[in-house]
Amino acid sequence: PWGAALYSFGAFAAGACLPLLPFLLGGQGRGAVVLAAALAAVALFAVGASISLFSGKGIIAGGLRMLAIGAAAGAATYGIGTLLGVQAS
């Protein structure tokens, strides 16, 4: 169980760091945000496509499914932040 937990943590942490790369490398403004969103979209699609190899579903369908789930989560987070009056500067 410890090995699975550590592997899960490592995978989650690596996935969470990917969209931060444009900012960690000095990017600013709208360009960095667009690049971060693109990196997240590619990563989500790749994970969904990879999972589909084990589930027997189509690669494209699996990738799009994971991308849609991630986009919905991002939209919900943005919407909640907007309702609470949070602004990024």
Side-chain angles (χ1 to χ4, degrees):
W2 280 103
L6 290 174
Y7 182 78
S8 178
F9 172 77
F12 182 81
C17 287
L18 195 59
L20 296 177
L21 283 177
F23 303 100
L24 294 174
L25 297 175
Q28 295 180 352
R30 187 174 301 272
V33 172
V34 170
L35 183 55
L39 286 171
V42 169
L44 285 165
F45 185 88
V47 168
S50 298
I51 290 172
S52 73
L53 296 174
F54 298 103
S55 68
K57 296 182 180 179
I59 293 174
I60 301 295
L64 290 176
R65 178 180 179 270
M66 184 65 79
L67 180 57
I69 291 169
T77 302
Y78 180 82
I80 291 168
T82 300
L83 287 174
L84 295 176
V86 176
Q87 295 181 359
S89 58

